[in-house]
Amino acid sequence: MSADGAKRTAAEREREEFVGFFPQIVRDLTEDGIGHPEVGDAVARLKEVLQYNAPGGKCNRGLTVVAAYRELSGPGQKDAESLRCALAVGWCIELFQAFFLVADDIMDQSLTRRGQLCWYKKEGVGLDAINDSFLLESSVYRVLKKYCGQRPYYVHLLELFLQTAYQTELGQMLDLITAPVSKVDLSHFSEERYKAIVKYKTAFYSFYLPVAAAMYMVGIDSKEEHENAKAILLEMGEYFQIQDDYLDCFGDPALTGKVGTDIQDNKCSWLVVQCLQRVTPEQRQLLEHPELQRPHAAPPPPHAVFAGQLRP
């Protein structure tokens, strides 16, 4: 077997191990509550929320925790129980991701996520999904306590998740106030604002959080080492979001698993920021066309503007 083939096989095994741990996470969060005379129905709903919203993605964030832990840990830190803790923390980040996505889909009025209807769009769910997102968030801290509560790094992880939640929510607010659905105002769209949105809304929780969690778990807790890692990981997060913005407009929903709505939602995306640096006055008028304010309309003319201005 070639080296590339061996790496793929190892990656497949790691993914199978990670995905295979999810049923245990669901049991941990629901087993004691289902059948409870007072809250049994609510816990049954939590189980449904978990099974619909947490799996189904690429699991890159959760897998990164496990991979980073294995890479950074010493010989005495690779016991089965420590690796179970790494799997659990990885799923904490996937639950964190599910919490953000359920809420974000409501705010953006999105239609699909990971190849299926957004949770709030399912019959009988609607805006009850807001409370479901809160349940997903609280599940993060219940899992952390169960698996890491007696570990020396527990407080570090708690503070890391709380800080990352705050940073991500700041990023979401920047996104919302920069591009309100009811008004197209391109004067707020700049490269500086775009970088701030990406840094806070995506890069902290998608790139820094998984690696920082693994670092704390193996005892790497100095400020200098975390700052060095953060500088690299946040830049990686920016590159990731630029690619995601491109795929939102030009990607095939059959492959990406979602219908892109950044244009209709008036998002401050990389495409718009780049176009505004290049467009003619006539093309700018096209970007400001009122049709952009109608959610989920058929793809409007700005697709053509993006394609023309980004062509090499």
Side-chain angles (χ1 to χ4, degrees):
M1 180 183 294
S2 68
D4 288 344
K7 286 180 180 178
R8 280 196 298 272
T9 302
E12 289 166 1
R13 284 199 303 268
E14 289 176 0
R15 179 178 174 80
E16 287 175 4
E17 178 188 31
F18 185 74
V19 172
F21 197 68
F22 179 65
Q24 180 61 51
I25 295 294
V26 175
R27 287 192 293 272
D28 292 333
L29 291 168
T30 63
E31 200 167 46
D32 292 341
I34 288 181
H36 189 282
E38 294 176 324
V39 298
D41 288 347
V43 176
R45 167 64 172 247
L46 169 61
K47 184 175 182 178
E48 184 182 359
V49 171
L50 290 166
Q51 292 174 330
Y52 191 91
N53 293 288
K58 296 183 289 292
C59 297
N60 288 339
R61 296 164 184 82
L63 286 167
T64 298
V65 176
V66 180
Y69 181 84
R70 284 192 165 119
E71 186 68 26
L72 296 172
S73 57
Q77 297 173 311
K78 298 184 187 294
D79 58 284
E81 191 56 35
S82 294
L83 290 172
R84 277 173 62 85
C85 289
L87 288 168
V89 172
W91 273 110
C92 283
I93 297 181
E94 292 299 318
L95 294 175
F96 212 48
Q97 158 90 335
F99 153 55
F100 290 134
L101 294 184
V102 169
D104 187 66
D105 286 342
I106 298 169
M107 287 180 269
D108 287 349
Q109 301 175 47
S110 298
L111 299 175
T112 60
R113 172 71 66 180
R114 294 173 174 171
Q116 60 186 4
L117 279 176
C118 293
W119 175 245
Y120 84 99
K121 295 294 289 183
K122 281 182 61 68
E123 185 177 355
V125 178
L127 293 183
D128 291 354
I130 296 171
N131 193 69
D132 294 332
S133 74
F134 298 158
L135 285 171
L136 288 166
E137 183 188 26
S138 64
S139 295
V140 170
Y141 299 102
R142 292 177 61 209
V143 173
L144 274 181
K145 183 176 181 180
K146 177 176 177 61
Y147 284 89
C148 307
Q150 302 303 313
R151 300 274 172 162
Y153 52 74
Y154 176 55
V155 173
H156 282 306
L157 289 186
L158 272 182
E159 292 177 344
L160 177 65
F161 273 87
L162 289 168
Q163 177 66 11
T164 305
Y166 175 62
Q167 290 164 329
T168 306
E169 288 152 9
L170 286 178
Q172 177 71 356
M173 182 52 65
L174 279 176
D175 191 19
L176 293 170
I177 64 179
T178 301
V181 175
S182 59
K183 182 180 180 182
V184 177
D185 183 0
L186 301 180
S187 66
H188 293 117
F189 288 24
S190 66
E191 193 158 335
E192 292 74 19
R193 175 55 63 93
Y194 174 76
K195 287 176 178 287
I197 293 171
V198 169
K199 176 181 177 180
Y200 282 88
K201 183 179 177 180
T202 300
F204 273 115
Y205 93 90
S206 295
F207 287 83
Y208 176 61
L209 174 60
V211 176
M215 291 171 68
Y216 281 128
M217 293 177 76
V218 301
I220 301 173
D221 55 12
S222 78
K223 182 177 180 180
E224 180 182 4
E225 287 170 308
H226 276 264
E227 288 300 320
N228 289 338
K230 186 186 300 181
I232 297 168
L233 293 160
L234 293 183
E235 190 163 348
M236 290 172 64
E238 182 178 322
Y239 296 147
F240 165 84
Q241 189 59 53
I242 289 170
Q243 181 183 62
D244 192 67
D245 289 352
Y246 181 87
L247 292 174
D248 184 273
C249 182
F250 296 112
D252 180 355
L255 299 177
T256 63
K258 62 181 180 179
V259 177
T261 61
D262 282 355
I263 296 175
Q264 294 95 323
D265 295 340
N266 186 34
K267 290 294 182 182
C268 180
S269 74
W270 182 82
L271 292 170
V272 175
V273 170
Q274 297 303 311
C275 283
L276 289 173
Q277 296 174 5
R278 297 167 170 81
V279 291
T280 64
E282 292 77 14
Q283 288 173 326
R284 187 181 179 97
Q285 285 296 313
L286 185 60
L287 289 172
E288 293 173 337
H289 195 279
E291 185 177 4
L292 290 178
Q293 299 180 37
R294 296 211 300 270
H296 316 312
H303 278 88
V305 178
F306 291 166
Q309 289 303 320
L310 295 174
R311 186 177 295 117

